[in-house]
Amino acid sequence: MNIELDSLFLEKLKTGISIFSGAGFSVLPAPDGTRLPNGAELCLEIQKNFGLQDIPAESGLEYISEFCPESEYQDFLRNRFTVSDYNPLYNTINKLTIKTFVTTNIDNIVRKITDHSERYYLKSIREYGATMNGYNELCYIPLHGDVSDPNSKLYFGSFDLAVVDKQNRDLFDLMYGKLAKEPILFIGYGFHDKGVLSVIKRLLDLGTTDIWIQFLPEDKYNIKLFKSKGCHIIEASTESLLSWIDSNIQSNSGNRVSESGISKDLLNFCIPTISEVVSIPQKEFFQQGNTGWHSILTDVPYERKIVAELENATLTRKNIVLIGCRFAGKTTILMQLARKVKHRNKFYVDGITKEEAEFMIKKIGEQEAWVFFNNCTDNILAYNAFAKIRNIRLVGASEEYRFEMVKHLLDKTINYKVFDCNEIGRDEARQIYNKIPSGIRKEHFSYKESSDEKFSMLEMVAQNVIGVFTKKHISKMLHEIEKQSLDMLKVVALTSYLSENGSAISYINVSNLLDINVYPQAVNIIKQTKDYLRAYDYHFDLDEEAQDYFILRSKLFAINVRNILIEEYKMLFADIVSKFTIKETQYNILRYNVFRRKAYDAELFAKLFTLRQAETLYQELYEKDHSPYTLQQWALCLAYFKHYRDAFIKIDKAISLMPNNFSFKNSQAIILFEANKEIGSDEAIGYMEKAMDTLKMCYMDDKRKIYHAQKFAEFAVYFHDRYDRNDYLENAWQWIAEIIQDDSSPSPRTLRIREKLMSIKSRI
């Protein structure tokens, strides 16, 4: 074995290096002797599996792959390249300081390595979008797909590989940006892949000089070629190179413990002290809905009785979910409880991924701990991971509609209880009123006038706080910003759109929106926007978790800005959303996995765009990512415009891609019913009955029963009102009653449907 500049190479491995791996990286056998096939072996397996004996195996993997049926071939690859165990020598990777891990492999070996790592958790840019560059975060870029991501296409045939860099242009561009900044190790390549040659050429053109490339010693031609290009040569097999690294680098991946006994990797999740947080005036909490640690640690908000109830329930039940509407006080309650609990190990997290949750679990180990998980349904699998751990007490908080959408994904073995913080009683409202500083407290306490009214924290603030953010004030401010600078207004609008959908704005986002350079133009426009908003006491600040991104600090401000943009700046806002959707890559969008669930919502697109504009955007989104969920929103948007025939075609295509998805079947039934309910013919009624049968099947077979029951009941009421038919009412009544009985916090929509059914029942 021979390593050029071995001491320098060793230093780069310790201080920071990126890795680019190919097929030769994944060839080491697992302890039981099993291993992934090489190209020749895989050709023979494909030949046998797909009955392609007439295609010569020596024609090559890329060629023979083209004769396989696409869907079956994708399933075959996913099964064949998913490993359950791996060679322990791969754990050497956890000793290195890795900046970015790029691979053209599709297997899950790197995921398995990080699953057992005390140093890293994996953050796949394909799944989660822009990375936050956390200390323990391993940025992972699988260029040709990832068997662990069910939504990822696996590129393996010659036609696919010929265009993969074009189809994934955004991903490749991002990769070049990251690799150009750090030393790079290419490992596991025979350089038969022309795409990798072009990667190295481009990196050399970008001026990258710290490139080490591993070759088998007998590969004399490539060694001579790349040496002449200025690359550093490593002559070694994958096994011998990893063994050399293992013997020359001491492990630093242990559980680094602070003086308090807590792993240092968990310190960022600890409850801060007052000296560690930014001071925020009391009025911001009440007037702007700005919930931060300073307000909690200085006892600004009144502590509602639900805080003690949650603590008591967690001590007995272990897993709790707090739900509420927008601006119901969920985050305040969760943070108050986190501060109040007397325990050495307590951690506050917000919308983290499953991989990060599993990393925390490893660091917590066998110690007793409390985890307070805000926005826990951003990744319900992360909640599952914490909830299954015996020694962790877990309190999550979520918007109620999000919880309803994903609660069927909660592990069946998890014992949990749901608390609703929406409604505030009169006595407690009075206590909250008394806690409001006198300078911003209205002279007379105000509560709801009738028992039927809703009274959450949103109503509490609106009726009892002076100077609260109102649509009128914010509208005036937006008009003044428009006069000052249209670009600043666009920045505020895009920030609102991103904030409302679980993301945050970056300099790159601003650069792409305004067609300007990041430095200094985008940096300057964000600074100007921050300064201008501050003059109005509105704040546009760095995201505490993602320091390269900015958010609107006030939730109330963000909500109102979005609504005003739709009502008063519809064309401008539509243009911004359209340009962002078409131009911005998902890899530049923070928390893209959360963002995409709401950002392309059919109802929003129907409000902002004409039918033709909406169709263009959904077409663009679908071309970027052939997701059936895009087809679903496309179909629902078409239904809003009453283009039911086209809507039915789109939802039918989504179902063909995912035949067992009950959400798609629910959408199909709704479209079918709505398309025919005004026609009134026997044929139309027959289709409506077919829609009812679909909803009934969904209710019987799906875990998300609430959505099917609600729609079934609403349509049953329509049949009663329009056609004087009662044949669906009994099922509707039974199912709504079951939901209310099983649900500790039935939604207002469910309760309204029950009242309607009760009214009908009393008359027949």
Side-chain angles (χ1 to χ4, degrees):
M1 188 178 74
N2 183 39
I3 299 176
E4 186 178 340
L5 304 178
D6 56 344
S7 296
L8 179 61
F9 176 59
L10 199 59
E11 182 66 16
K12 301 296 183 181
L13 294 175
K14 294 176 182 177
T15 57
I17 196 167
S18 292
I19 293 178
F20 199 124
S21 74
F25 174 78
S26 299
V27 297
L28 302 187
D32 64 359
T34 60
R35 62 177 179 82
L36 294 177
N38 61 32
E41 293 166 339
L42 187 59
C43 278
L44 294 174
E45 290 184 23
I46 292 172
Q47 232 185 10
K48 181 179 179 181
N49 192 77
F50 292 97
L52 298 174
Q53 280 75 14
D54 58 325
I55 308 297
E58 58 269 20
S59 61
L61 179 59
E62 292 83 359
Y63 181 78
I64 198 170
S65 295
E66 291 301 329
F67 293 88
C68 302
E70 176 66 14
S71 179
E72 291 89 337
Y73 186 51
Q74 289 286 310
D75 290 340
F76 169 79
L77 291 174
R78 208 170 291 280
N79 291 328
R80 189 63 183 90
F81 284 87
T82 298
V83 302
S84 57
D85 200 4
Y86 64 93
N87 193 305
L89 192 55
Y90 285 125
N91 288 325
T92 302
I93 294 297
N94 290 320
K95 292 183 175 184
L96 313 182
T97 302
I98 305 173
K99 299 300 183 180
T100 302
F101 198 111
V102 182
T103 184
T104 52
N105 298 337
I106 63 171
D107 60 69
N108 63 327
I109 287 178
V110 176
R111 285 185 180 270
K112 301 293 286 188
I113 296 168
T114 51
D115 283 347
H116 294 90
S117 174
E118 290 287 344
R119 184 171 186 181
Y120 295 114
Y121 63 88
L122 185 140
K123 191 73 170 286
S124 173
I125 205 158
R126 277 187 175 272
E127 291 182 77
Y128 298 116
T131 58
M132 293 187 286
N133 301 314
Y135 178 78
N136 299 109
E137 180 180 285
L138 178 60
C139 176
Y140 184 57
I141 306 180
L143 292 174
H144 290 179
D146 180 356
V147 296
S148 298
D149 179 2
N151 298 315
S152 171
K153 176 180 169 64
L154 308 176
Y155 292 87
F156 234 89
S158 55
F159 284 92
D160 279 340
L161 293 174
V163 298
V164 64
D165 58 334
K166 294 181 178 64
Q167 292 182 347
N168 284 333
R169 183 176 288 114
D170 293 333
L171 187 61
F172 274 71
D173 287 344
L174 176 94
M175 174 198 71
Y176 287 121
K178 286 186 173 292
L179 293 185
K181 300 174 183 177
E182 307 290 346
I184 311 162
L185 166 63
F186 284 83
I187 182 171
Y189 278 102
F191 291 93
H192 309 299
D193 184 351
K194 294 179 181 178
V196 179
L197 293 173
S198 67
V199 168
I200 295 177
K201 182 181 186 307
R202 182 166 174 184
L203 288 171
L204 290 170
D205 290 344
L206 289 171
T208 307
T209 56
D210 284 350
I211 298 178
W212 276 265
I213 306 178
Q214 172 224 356
F215 296 99
L216 293 175
E218 59 269 23
D219 193 1
K220 302 300 182 183
Y221 292 111
N222 274 324
I223 290 173
K224 184 174 183 179
L225 173 63
F226 284 94
K227 192 177 183 69
S228 71
K229 300 297 182 182
C231 300
H232 309 309
I233 306 302
I234 298 173
E235 297 181 43
S237 67
T238 298
E239 183 175 15
S240 61
L241 176 56
L242 291 177
S243 296
W244 181 85
I245 294 172
D246 190 36
S247 61
N248 281 277
I249 296 183
Q250 296 299 312
S251 176
N252 62 354
S253 60
N255 203 1
R256 305 173 302 137
V257 178
S258 66
E259 293 179 2
S260 62
I262 297 173
S263 168
K264 289 185 177 180
D265 295 317
L266 295 175
L267 291 179
N268 286 339
F269 305 113
C270 289
I271 313 305
T273 63
I274 191 67
S275 62
E276 296 173 323
V277 297
V278 177
S279 297
I280 297 173
Q282 288 189 33
K283 65 177 184 177
E284 282 196 23
F285 176 84
F286 294 101
Q287 293 177 324
Q288 304 177 18
N290 177 19
T291 305
W293 279 112
H294 185 270
S295 301
I296 303 301
L297 296 173
T298 54
D299 292 316
V300 171
Y302 171 76
E303 185 180 298
R304 295 171 59 181
K305 62 182 180 180
I306 196 173
V307 175
E309 291 171 356
L310 289 172
E311 183 173 12
N312 179 69
T314 310
L315 289 168
T316 55
R317 190 67 67 105
K318 191 177 97 64
N319 300 313
I320 302 296
V321 181
L322 175 68
I323 64 171
C325 61
R326 297 293 307 273
F327 208 76
K330 301 179 296 298
T331 303
T332 297
I333 292 168
L334 190 67
M335 295 172 83
Q336 285 176 319
L337 178 59
R339 180 202 176 193
K340 186 178 183 181
V341 166
K342 302 297 183 185
H343 199 280
R344 176 187 176 189
N345 299 321
K346 55 182 183 179
F347 308 104
Y348 183 90
V349 298
D350 195 335
I352 64 173
T353 66
K354 177 178 72 74
E355 291 83 357
E356 194 167 1
E358 290 171 343
F359 179 80
M360 289 183 66
I361 289 166
K362 282 187 286 190
K363 294 299 180 179
I364 291 170
E366 295 297 318
Q367 298 182 76
E368 295 287 331
W370 286 66
V371 173
F372 304 91
F373 193 168
N374 199 25
N375 295 311
C376 65
T377 49
D378 280 0
N379 196 319
I380 197 66
L381 299 182
Y383 186 92
N384 274 341
F386 283 127
K388 288 188 285 188
I389 304 302
R390 173 187 52 80
N391 50 295
I392 292 178
R393 298 190 183 277
L394 177 63
V395 187
S398 168
E399 288 186 35
E400 57 188 347
Y401 89 96
R402 279 291 307 146
F403 180 69
E404 289 297 336
M405 288 177 63
V406 302
K407 70 178 182 182
H408 68 285
L409 296 173
L410 284 168
D411 194 295
K412 289 183 177 180
T413 64
I414 293 172
N415 182 18
Y416 70 95
K417 185 173 182 179
V418 178
F419 283 78
D420 186 331
C421 67
N422 276 323
E423 194 66 19
I424 302 174
R426 178 180 290 273
D427 291 341
E428 192 163 59
R430 171 68 74 173
Q431 296 296 329
I432 296 171
Y433 173 82
N434 292 336
K435 190 77 171 174
I436 300 170
S438 58
I440 59 172
R441 185 176 64 209
K442 289 188 177 179
E443 186 175 353
H444 299 291
F445 169 66
S446 176
Y447 191 65
K448 60 184 178 182
E449 295 181 0
S450 69
S451 59
D452 294 336
E453 290 182 38
K454 175 185 174 184
F455 197 83
S456 69
M457 189 58 71
L458 183 62
E459 287 75 28
M460 175 73 209
V461 169
Q463 295 179 29
N464 293 283
V465 176
I466 298 170
V468 72
F469 281 175
T470 65
K471 287 179 67 175
K472 182 178 179 180
H473 292 145
I474 295 172
S475 175
K476 181 180 178 182
M477 183 274 293
L478 290 178
H479 283 287
E480 290 178 358
I481 284 185
E482 182 183 16
K483 294 176 185 176
Q484 181 78 13
S485 167
L486 185 59
D487 282 349
M488 281 201 296
L489 180 61
K490 289 179 178 179
V491 169
V492 173
L494 181 58
T495 307
S496 170
Y497 178 60
L498 289 163
S499 297
E500 277 291 274
N501 291 301
S503 187
I505 198 169
S506 69
Y507 294 123
I508 292 175
N509 298 150
V510 172
S511 169
N512 289 334
L513 174 69
L514 302 179
D515 296 314
I516 57 177
N517 293 327
V518 172
Y519 300 102
Q521 289 98 322
V523 173
N524 287 340
I525 196 67
I526 281 189
K527 182 180 183 304
Q528 291 169 23
T529 307
K530 284 177 62 179
D531 292 343
Y532 198 85
L533 289 177
R534 190 177 292 115
Y536 286 87
D537 214 15
Y538 303 131
H539 295 276
F540 180 56
D541 291 341
L542 276 172
D543 187 320
E544 291 181 5
E545 295 184 14
Q547 291 296 302
D548 292 331
Y549 294 82
F550 296 84
I551 57 173
L552 292 169
R553 197 158 81 191
S554 165
K555 295 177 184 176
L556 192 56
F557 180 70
I559 294 169
N560 281 323
V561 166
R562 177 185 179 276
N563 292 337
I564 293 166
L565 287 168
I566 293 172
E567 295 167 12
E568 301 179 22
Y569 294 91
K570 181 178 174 179
M571 290 184 64
L572 175 70
F573 192 37
D575 183 63
I576 290 168
V577 172
S578 175
K579 187 172 183 179
F580 186 81
T581 300
I582 291 172
K583 190 169 183 178
E584 191 59 275
T585 165
Q586 68 188 67
Y587 311 117
N588 287 336
I589 301 175
L590 186 69
R591 304 184 189 99
Y592 182 73
N593 59 309
V594 178
F595 174 81
R596 67 180 174 184
R597 292 180 196 147
K598 299 188 291 181
Y600 312 127
D601 179 70
E603 185 176 357
L604 174 65
F605 275 33
K607 286 179 179 178
L608 287 182
F609 304 113
T610 64
L611 173 61
R612 184 175 179 181
Q613 289 170 333
E615 286 245 76
T616 299
L617 289 178
Y618 281 121
Q619 182 67 46
E620 182 76 23
L621 287 168
Y622 190 66
E623 286 178 0
K624 285 183 180 180
D625 177 11
H626 287 358
S627 168
Y629 296 100
T630 300
L631 290 173
Q632 182 189 29
Q633 292 305 314
W634 193 347
L636 291 172
C637 186
L638 286 165
Y640 275 112
F641 287 104
K642 300 189 182 301
H643 280 241
Y644 295 114
R645 184 181 298 277
D646 291 340
F648 194 84
I649 292 171
K650 291 291 184 292
I651 197 64
D652 194 53
K653 184 175 180 180
I655 291 173
S656 71
L657 295 172
M658 295 182 69
N660 298 318
N661 188 292
F662 290 102
S663 174
F664 295 169
K665 292 178 181 179
N666 179 287
S667 297
Q668 184 187 52
I670 293 170
I671 291 168
L672 190 62
F673 195 97
E674 295 291 347
N676 290 282
K677 73 178 188 180
E678 299 300 330
I679 298 174
S681 67
D682 290 343
E683 183 181 19
I685 293 173
Y687 282 121
M688 292 163 66
E689 291 171 341
K690 184 178 179 180
M692 296 298 280
D693 291 341
T694 299
L695 289 173
K696 185 174 182 178
M697 180 269 293
C698 288
Y699 182 83
M700 301 304 293
D701 295 343
D702 192 15
K703 298 175 185 177
R704 288 170 285 191
K705 295 184 180 296
I706 184 169
Y707 297 104
H708 310 308
Q710 287 174 340
K711 213 65 198 178
F712 185 92
E714 288 173 357
F715 289 164
V717 169
Y718 184 88
F719 263 115
H720 168 80
D721 292 345
R722 176 73 181 269
Y723 300 108
D724 197 26
R725 285 180 54 173
N726 301 326
D727 42 326
Y728 295 113
L729 289 175
E730 187 57 38
N731 273 339
W733 172 260
Q734 178 187 342
W735 294 344
I736 291 295
E738 286 175 0
I739 287 170
I740 292 175
Q741 181 179 350
D742 295 342
D743 197 335
S744 59
S745 177
S747 70
R749 180 183 175 190
T750 303
L751 295 175
R752 286 194 300 270
I753 293 171
R754 181 182 66 173
E755 292 301 315
K756 181 67 174 175
L757 290 171
M758 287 177 65
S759 175
I760 294 173
K761 199 173 181 182
S762 68
R763 299 194 305 267
I764 59 176

